[in-house]
Amino acid sequence: MNKQKIVIIGAGIVGASMAYHLAKRNQDVTLIERHLAAACEVTDKSFAWIHTSHRVAPEYWHLYDTALEEYHALQQEIPELKIHWHGALTWDTPPLREQLHFQKLNREQLEALEPNLKEYPDEAMYVREEGAVDPIVLTELLLNKAQEYGAKVQFGTNVTQLQQEDSRLVGVHTSNGFLESDVVVLAAGIGVSELCNPLGCPVPVTSSPSILIRMKTKNKLIRTLISNAQFEARQLTDYTLLAAEDYIDESEENGPEAVGKRAFDTLRRSLKDGNQLELENIKVGMRPMPEDGYPIVGFQDHIKGLYLTVMHSAITLAPLIARLAASEIIDQELRSELDPCRLSRF
């Protein structure tokens, strides 16, 4: 097995997952991050639902179906990884994928499962297998493990240019000097387009803002993860509750602060002892959204040594896609599981 010099740009969940899988297989890995710590951009603002039940195109089903297995395998490899396998409870939301295994719960079952709600629907869907993580802890843990396998991490380092010679990338110019590479892995979210455009390699990714609301609570109010037309919320810890909302605009009426405060008020009204909730912060995450909503993964066809890893649903998919991507980079054989994710589809 050839030991390649691999530079990864971006220390969110995708970059950390790539560093872990590549370093574990004895590659010469250097990860570059412009912030002074990991998970400072989208990962920090992620609701972090390991969400496999929403509707996706059939050609991507296998990735979502395998994502849960991947997380269980990761827990075997890293026993200190904590995943909240409490399941997800949904009602009054778009229907789940047809072939998914879910339970229909009646009102009595819902009251037993979530005793702190003030009102209950007559019926809800429960996906027992789904879970959630602390995205920052997970990212830091993967990076620490990657470093134990020999990966190097450079925080506070800006990438200024990708160096191309003929049709091959040969390295990365950074604020701390030039780094030679055999492969550059772009895991920089919406920053991928900016890095690729000077190479004549457009990547159709735009930002899709989302809002994360963090609240303090004196005790645990939600046992599962709840998603309905009124709110989407879960416990991060026994004393921290998270809610997620869609971004609307920057107006005073519908800006992130207004949307976040409405979500906070909704949860205070919807939960028994909800008046104990304290609003901690409201953050906006700029999620990278490929043009068709699905991951862009793989070597760029016309520039050797450039590997793309851009995806929405990064918490769900990153560990699985990173393992498959690492296999492609090291073994130099395409993985058919990633065929629907190629840039060439655009």
Side-chain angles (χ1 to χ4, degrees), residues 2 24 40 48 69 87 120 131 134 136 140-141 152 167 185 226 251 254 258 271 279 295 298 309 318 335 340 346:
N2 293 330
K24 187 174 70 168
C40 286
E69 297 172 24
Y120 296 88
D134 184 320
I136 300 173
E140 290 176 343
L141 184 57
K152 300 173 284 292
S167 61
V185 176
I226 300 177
S251 68
N254 288 318
L271 297 170
L279 183 59
T309 54
R335 295 294 300 251
F346 294 102

PDB file of all heavy atoms in Angstrom, residues 2 24 40 48 69 87 120 131 134 136 140-141 152 167 185 226 251 254 258 271 279 295 298 309 318 335 340 346:
ATOM      1  N   ASN A   2       0.643   2.147  -0.961  1.00  0.00           N
ATOM      2  CA  ASN A   2       1.415   3.371  -1.037  1.00  0.00           C
ATOM      3  C   ASN A   2       0.988   4.333   0.060  1.00  0.00           C
ATOM      4  O   ASN A   2      -0.203   4.499   0.328  1.00  0.00           O
ATOM      5  CB  ASN A   2       1.217   4.045  -2.396  1.00  0.00           C
ATOM      6  CG  ASN A   2       1.811   3.216  -3.526  1.00  0.00           C
ATOM      7  OD1 ASN A   2       2.778   2.505  -3.320  1.00  0.00           O
ATOM      8  ND2 ASN A   2       1.214   3.308  -4.704  1.00  0.00           N
ATOM      9  N   LYS A  24      -5.983   6.173   9.896  1.00  0.00           N
ATOM     10  CA  LYS A  24      -6.097   4.804  10.410  1.00  0.00           C
ATOM     11  C   LYS A  24      -5.482   3.809   9.431  1.00  0.00           C
ATOM     12  O   LYS A  24      -4.980   2.756   9.838  1.00  0.00           O
ATOM     13  CB  LYS A  24      -7.577   4.480  10.671  1.00  0.00           C
ATOM     14  CG  LYS A  24      -7.808   3.160  11.362  1.00  0.00           C
ATOM     15  CD  LYS A  24      -9.269   2.962  11.722  1.00  0.00           C
ATOM     16  CE  LYS A  24     -10.117   2.742  10.496  1.00  0.00           C
ATOM     17  NZ  LYS A  24     -11.481   2.271  10.836  1.00  0.00           N
ATOM     18  N   CYS A  40     -16.049  24.662  14.040  1.00  0.00           N
ATOM     19  CA  CYS A  40     -16.445  26.042  14.339  1.00  0.00           C
ATOM     20  C   CYS A  40     -17.473  26.613  13.367  1.00  0.00           C
ATOM     21  O   CYS A  40     -18.025  27.677  13.618  1.00  0.00           O
ATOM     22  CB  CYS A  40     -15.213  26.954  14.345  1.00  0.00           C
ATOM     23  SG  CYS A  40     -14.180  26.740  15.797  1.00  0.00           S
ATOM     24  N   ALA A  48     -27.680  17.756  14.610  1.00  0.00           N
ATOM     25  CA  ALA A  48     -26.966  16.482  14.787  1.00  0.00           C
ATOM     26  C   ALA A  48     -27.886  15.286  14.990  1.00  0.00           C
ATOM     27  O   ALA A  48     -27.621  14.409  15.801  1.00  0.00           O
ATOM     28  CB  ALA A  48     -25.958  16.590  15.930  1.00  0.00           C
ATOM     29  N   GLU A  69     -25.611   1.527  10.599  1.00  0.00           N
ATOM     30  CA  GLU A  69     -24.628   0.460  10.809  1.00  0.00           C
ATOM     31  C   GLU A  69     -23.234   1.052  10.993  1.00  0.00           C
ATOM     32  O   GLU A  69     -22.445   0.572  11.812  1.00  0.00           O
ATOM     33  CB  GLU A  69     -24.619  -0.503   9.609  1.00  0.00           C
ATOM     34  CG  GLU A  69     -25.915  -1.239   9.371  1.00  0.00           C
ATOM     35  CD  GLU A  69     -25.879  -2.015   8.063  1.00  0.00           C
ATOM     36  OE1 GLU A  69     -24.770  -2.360   7.599  1.00  0.00           O
ATOM     37  OE2 GLU A  69     -26.963  -2.267   7.489  1.00  0.00           O
ATOM     38  N   GLY A  87     -34.136   7.195  19.580  1.00  0.00           N
ATOM     39  CA  GLY A  87     -35.190   7.166  18.582  1.00  0.00           C
ATOM     40  C   GLY A  87     -35.734   8.545  18.256  1.00  0.00           C
ATOM     41  O   GLY A  87     -35.450   9.528  18.951  1.00  0.00           O
ATOM     42  N   TYR A 120     -50.942  15.882  22.961  1.00  0.00           N
ATOM     43  CA  TYR A 120     -50.493  14.725  22.182  1.00  0.00           C
ATOM     44  C   TYR A 120     -51.355  14.562  20.938  1.00  0.00           C
ATOM     45  O   TYR A 120     -52.570  14.796  20.984  1.00  0.00           O
ATOM     46  CB  TYR A 120     -50.571  13.445  23.012  1.00  0.00           C
ATOM     47  CG  TYR A 120     -49.650  13.423  24.200  1.00  0.00           C
ATOM     48  CD1 TYR A 120     -50.063  13.947  25.424  1.00  0.00           C
ATOM     49  CD2 TYR A 120     -48.364  12.899  24.094  1.00  0.00           C
ATOM     50  CE1 TYR A 120     -49.211  13.945  26.522  1.00  0.00           C
ATOM     51  CE2 TYR A 120     -47.508  12.890  25.178  1.00  0.00           C
ATOM     52  CZ  TYR A 120     -47.935  13.419  26.397  1.00  0.00           C
ATOM     53  OH  TYR A 120     -47.086  13.417  27.465  1.00  0.00           O
ATOM     54  N   GLY A 131     -30.792   8.147  16.034  1.00  0.00           N
ATOM     55  CA  GLY A 131     -30.121   8.703  17.198  1.00  0.00           C
ATOM     56  C   GLY A 131     -29.657  10.123  16.963  1.00  0.00           C
ATOM     57  O   GLY A 131     -30.016  10.768  15.968  1.00  0.00           O
ATOM     58  N   ASP A 134     -23.507  14.681  20.038  1.00  0.00           N
ATOM     59  CA  ASP A 134     -22.961  16.011  20.257  1.00  0.00           C
ATOM     60  C   ASP A 134     -21.964  16.235  19.125  1.00  0.00           C
ATOM     61  O   ASP A 134     -20.907  15.593  19.085  1.00  0.00           O
ATOM     62  CB  ASP A 134     -22.266  16.104  21.613  1.00  0.00           C
ATOM     63  CG  ASP A 134     -21.760  17.499  21.918  1.00  0.00           C
ATOM     64  OD1 ASP A 134     -21.236  18.150  20.985  1.00  0.00           O
ATOM     65  OD2 ASP A 134     -21.857  17.942  23.070  1.00  0.00           O
ATOM     66  N   ILE A 136     -19.857  18.558  18.206  1.00  0.00           N
ATOM     67  CA  ILE A 136     -18.520  19.074  18.508  1.00  0.00           C
ATOM     68  C   ILE A 136     -17.678  17.987  19.168  1.00  0.00           C
ATOM     69  O   ILE A 136     -16.524  17.760  18.790  1.00  0.00           O
ATOM     70  CB  ILE A 136     -18.614  20.322  19.409  1.00  0.00           C
ATOM     71  CG1 ILE A 136     -19.416  21.414  18.705  1.00  0.00           C
ATOM     72  CG2 ILE A 136     -17.218  20.830  19.771  1.00  0.00           C
ATOM     73  CD1 ILE A 136     -19.717  22.620  19.573  1.00  0.00           C
ATOM     74  N   GLU A 140     -14.245  16.418  17.545  1.00  0.00           N
ATOM     75  CA  GLU A 140     -12.980  16.474  18.291  1.00  0.00           C
ATOM     76  C   GLU A 140     -12.447  15.074  18.577  1.00  0.00           C
ATOM     77  O   GLU A 140     -11.237  14.832  18.507  1.00  0.00           O
ATOM     78  CB  GLU A 140     -13.176  17.250  19.585  1.00  0.00           C
ATOM     79  CG  GLU A 140     -13.404  18.748  19.357  1.00  0.00           C
ATOM     80  CD  GLU A 140     -13.690  19.508  20.643  1.00  0.00           C
ATOM     81  OE1 GLU A 140     -14.024  18.842  21.660  1.00  0.00           O
ATOM     82  OE2 GLU A 140     -13.578  20.747  20.636  1.00  0.00           O
ATOM     83  N   LEU A 141     -13.340  14.152  18.870  1.00  0.00           N
ATOM     84  CA  LEU A 141     -12.930  12.782  19.155  1.00  0.00           C
ATOM     85  C   LEU A 141     -12.303  12.136  17.916  1.00  0.00           C
ATOM     86  O   LEU A 141     -11.242  11.492  18.006  1.00  0.00           O
ATOM     87  CB  LEU A 141     -14.142  11.976  19.627  1.00  0.00           C
ATOM     88  CG  LEU A 141     -13.916  10.533  20.067  1.00  0.00           C
ATOM     89  CD1 LEU A 141     -12.889  10.451  21.187  1.00  0.00           C
ATOM     90  CD2 LEU A 141     -15.237   9.915  20.530  1.00  0.00           C
ATOM     91  N   LYS A 152      -1.524  15.053  11.241  1.00  0.00           N
ATOM     92  CA  LYS A 152      -1.114  16.365  11.737  1.00  0.00           C
ATOM     93  C   LYS A 152      -2.264  17.342  11.486  1.00  0.00           C
ATOM     94  O   LYS A 152      -2.917  17.286  10.445  1.00  0.00           O
ATOM     95  CB  LYS A 152       0.154  16.834  11.020  1.00  0.00           C
ATOM     96  CG  LYS A 152       1.345  15.896  11.219  1.00  0.00           C
ATOM     97  CD  LYS A 152       2.530  16.284  10.367  1.00  0.00           C
ATOM     98  CE  LYS A 152       2.344  15.905   8.903  1.00  0.00           C
ATOM     99  NZ  LYS A 152       2.333  14.440   8.678  1.00  0.00           N
ATOM    100  N   SER A 167      -2.288  19.053 -15.422  1.00  0.00           N
ATOM    101  CA  SER A 167      -3.626  18.623 -15.005  1.00  0.00           C
ATOM    102  C   SER A 167      -3.601  17.960 -13.631  1.00  0.00           C
ATOM    103  O   SER A 167      -4.473  17.165 -13.306  1.00  0.00           O
ATOM    104  CB  SER A 167      -4.211  17.644 -16.030  1.00  0.00           C
ATOM    105  OG  SER A 167      -3.387  16.492 -16.123  1.00  0.00           O
ATOM    106  N   VAL A 185      -8.023  16.767  -0.271  1.00  0.00           N
ATOM    107  CA  VAL A 185      -9.428  16.467   0.011  1.00  0.00           C
ATOM    108  C   VAL A 185     -10.106  17.765   0.445  1.00  0.00           C
ATOM    109  O   VAL A 185      -9.720  18.363   1.453  1.00  0.00           O
ATOM    110  CB  VAL A 185      -9.570  15.404   1.120  1.00  0.00           C
ATOM    111  CG1 VAL A 185     -11.049  15.182   1.450  1.00  0.00           C
ATOM    112  CG2 VAL A 185      -8.918  14.093   0.693  1.00  0.00           C
ATOM    113  N   ILE A 226     -37.969  14.862  18.972  1.00  0.00           N
ATOM    114  CA  ILE A 226     -39.336  15.134  18.528  1.00  0.00           C
ATOM    115  C   ILE A 226     -39.322  16.100  17.357  1.00  0.00           C
ATOM    116  O   ILE A 226     -38.695  17.160  17.412  1.00  0.00           O
ATOM    117  CB  ILE A 226     -40.186  15.727  19.673  1.00  0.00           C
ATOM    118  CG1 ILE A 226     -40.255  14.753  20.852  1.00  0.00           C
ATOM    119  CG2 ILE A 226     -41.588  16.049  19.172  1.00  0.00           C
ATOM    120  CD1 ILE A 226     -41.006  15.287  22.053  1.00  0.00           C
ATOM    121  N   SER A 251     -35.058  39.918   8.141  1.00  0.00           N
ATOM    122  CA  SER A 251     -35.921  40.999   8.605  1.00  0.00           C
ATOM    123  C   SER A 251     -36.093  40.945  10.124  1.00  0.00           C
ATOM    124  O   SER A 251     -35.794  39.943  10.761  1.00  0.00           O
ATOM    125  CB  SER A 251     -37.292  40.893   7.931  1.00  0.00           C
ATOM    126  OG  SER A 251     -37.970  39.731   8.388  1.00  0.00           O
ATOM    127  N   ASN A 254     -38.828  38.202  10.805  1.00  0.00           N
ATOM    128  CA  ASN A 254     -38.539  36.802  10.491  1.00  0.00           C
ATOM    129  C   ASN A 254     -37.054  36.487  10.477  1.00  0.00           C
ATOM    130  O   ASN A 254     -36.636  35.468   9.924  1.00  0.00           O
ATOM    131  CB  ASN A 254     -39.145  36.429   9.134  1.00  0.00           C
ATOM    132  CG  ASN A 254     -40.657  36.318   9.192  1.00  0.00           C
ATOM    133  OD1 ASN A 254     -41.206  35.765  10.138  1.00  0.00           O
ATOM    134  ND2 ASN A 254     -41.332  36.883   8.204  1.00  0.00           N
ATOM    135  N   ALA A 258     -35.753  36.495  15.793  1.00  0.00           N
ATOM    136  CA  ALA A 258     -37.208  36.396  15.940  1.00  0.00           C
ATOM    137  C   ALA A 258     -37.677  34.952  15.829  1.00  0.00           C
ATOM    138  O   ALA A 258     -38.502  34.482  16.622  1.00  0.00           O
ATOM    139  CB  ALA A 258     -37.884  37.267  14.875  1.00  0.00           C
ATOM    140  N   LEU A 271     -44.221  22.149  26.713  1.00  0.00           N
ATOM    141  CA  LEU A 271     -43.655  21.188  27.652  1.00  0.00           C
ATOM    142  C   LEU A 271     -44.091  21.484  29.082  1.00  0.00           C
ATOM    143  O   LEU A 271     -44.133  22.648  29.493  1.00  0.00           O
ATOM    144  CB  LEU A 271     -42.121  21.225  27.578  1.00  0.00           C
ATOM    145  CG  LEU A 271     -41.496  20.820  26.240  1.00  0.00           C
ATOM    146  CD1 LEU A 271     -40.009  21.144  26.235  1.00  0.00           C
ATOM    147  CD2 LEU A 271     -41.705  19.328  25.983  1.00  0.00           C
ATOM    148  N   LEU A 279     -33.238  30.703  27.556  1.00  0.00           N
ATOM    149  CA  LEU A 279     -32.622  30.825  26.236  1.00  0.00           C
ATOM    150  C   LEU A 279     -31.133  31.119  26.394  1.00  0.00           C
ATOM    151  O   LEU A 279     -30.737  32.070  27.053  1.00  0.00           O
ATOM    152  CB  LEU A 279     -33.298  31.949  25.449  1.00  0.00           C
ATOM    153  CG  LEU A 279     -32.828  32.167  24.011  1.00  0.00           C
ATOM    154  CD1 LEU A 279     -33.019  30.915  23.176  1.00  0.00           C
ATOM    155  CD2 LEU A 279     -33.567  33.337  23.389  1.00  0.00           C
ATOM    156  N   PRO A 295     -25.031  14.451  -1.905  1.00  0.00           N
ATOM    157  CA  PRO A 295     -23.584  14.618  -1.750  1.00  0.00           C
ATOM    158  C   PRO A 295     -22.827  14.671  -3.074  1.00  0.00           C
ATOM    159  O   PRO A 295     -23.229  14.046  -4.064  1.00  0.00           O
ATOM    160  CB  PRO A 295     -23.173  13.373  -0.946  1.00  0.00           C
ATOM    161  CG  PRO A 295     -24.408  12.936  -0.236  1.00  0.00           C
ATOM    162  CD  PRO A 295     -25.534  13.262  -1.173  1.00  0.00           C
ATOM    163  N   GLY A 298     -15.889  12.408  -4.611  1.00  0.00           N
ATOM    164  CA  GLY A 298     -15.053  11.681  -5.562  1.00  0.00           C
ATOM    165  C   GLY A 298     -13.960  12.539  -6.159  1.00  0.00           C
ATOM    166  O   GLY A 298     -13.886  13.752  -5.953  1.00  0.00           O
ATOM    167  N   THR A 309     -15.478  16.287  -1.132  1.00  0.00           N
ATOM    168  CA  THR A 309     -16.404  15.709  -0.140  1.00  0.00           C
ATOM    169  C   THR A 309     -17.304  16.831   0.368  1.00  0.00           C
ATOM    170  O   THR A 309     -16.967  17.530   1.310  1.00  0.00           O
ATOM    171  CB  THR A 309     -15.667  15.067   1.050  1.00  0.00           C
ATOM    172  OG1 THR A 309     -14.773  16.035   1.623  1.00  0.00           O
ATOM    173  CG2 THR A 309     -14.865  13.851   0.619  1.00  0.00           C
ATOM    174  N   ALA A 318     -21.407  11.488   7.052  1.00  0.00           N
ATOM    175  CA  ALA A 318     -19.945  11.673   7.014  1.00  0.00           C
ATOM    176  C   ALA A 318     -19.145  10.433   7.397  1.00  0.00           C
ATOM    177  O   ALA A 318     -18.186  10.087   6.693  1.00  0.00           O
ATOM    178  CB  ALA A 318     -19.536  12.861   7.879  1.00  0.00           C
ATOM    179  N   ARG A 335     -15.583   3.081  -5.598  1.00  0.00           N
ATOM    180  CA  ARG A 335     -16.592   2.349  -4.830  1.00  0.00           C
ATOM    181  C   ARG A 335     -17.955   2.609  -5.466  1.00  0.00           C
ATOM    182  O   ARG A 335     -18.385   3.757  -5.587  1.00  0.00           O
ATOM    183  CB  ARG A 335     -16.595   2.815  -3.378  1.00  0.00           C
ATOM    184  CG  ARG A 335     -15.308   2.518  -2.613  1.00  0.00           C
ATOM    185  CD  ARG A 335     -15.085   1.027  -2.429  1.00  0.00           C
ATOM    186  NE  ARG A 335     -16.150   0.376  -1.697  1.00  0.00           N
ATOM    187  CZ  ARG A 335     -16.025  -0.092  -0.449  1.00  0.00           C
ATOM    188  NH1 ARG A 335     -14.863   0.012   0.193  1.00  0.00           N
ATOM    189  NH2 ARG A 335     -17.028  -0.671   0.165  1.00  0.00           N
ATOM    190  N   PRO A 340     -23.666   7.461  -7.313  1.00  0.00           N
ATOM    191  CA  PRO A 340     -24.650   8.542  -7.487  1.00  0.00           C
ATOM    192  C   PRO A 340     -24.141   9.909  -7.017  1.00  0.00           C
ATOM    193  O   PRO A 340     -24.813  10.913  -7.251  1.00  0.00           O
ATOM    194  CB  PRO A 340     -25.836   8.092  -6.620  1.00  0.00           C
ATOM    195  CG  PRO A 340     -25.600   6.658  -6.302  1.00  0.00           C
ATOM    196  CD  PRO A 340     -24.123   6.471  -6.311  1.00  0.00           C
ATOM    197  N   PHE A 346     -23.748  16.566 -12.862  1.00  0.00           N
ATOM    198  CA  PHE A 346     -24.280  17.905 -13.113  1.00  0.00           C
ATOM    199  C   PHE A 346     -23.973  18.345 -14.551  1.00  0.00           C
ATOM    200  O   PHE A 346     -22.947  18.007 -15.100  1.00  0.00           O
ATOM    201  CB  PHE A 346     -23.703  18.905 -12.117  1.00  0.00           C
ATOM    202  CG  PHE A 346     -24.143  18.652 -10.699  1.00  0.00           C
ATOM    203  CD1 PHE A 346     -23.286  18.026  -9.801  1.00  0.00           C
ATOM    204  CD2 PHE A 346     -25.407  19.012 -10.289  1.00  0.00           C
ATOM    205  CE1 PHE A 346     -23.691  17.775  -8.501  1.00  0.00           C
ATOM    206  CE2 PHE A 346     -25.815  18.767  -8.995  1.00  0.00           C
ATOM    207  CZ  PHE A 346     -24.953  18.132  -8.092  1.00  0.00           C
TER     208      PHE A 346
END
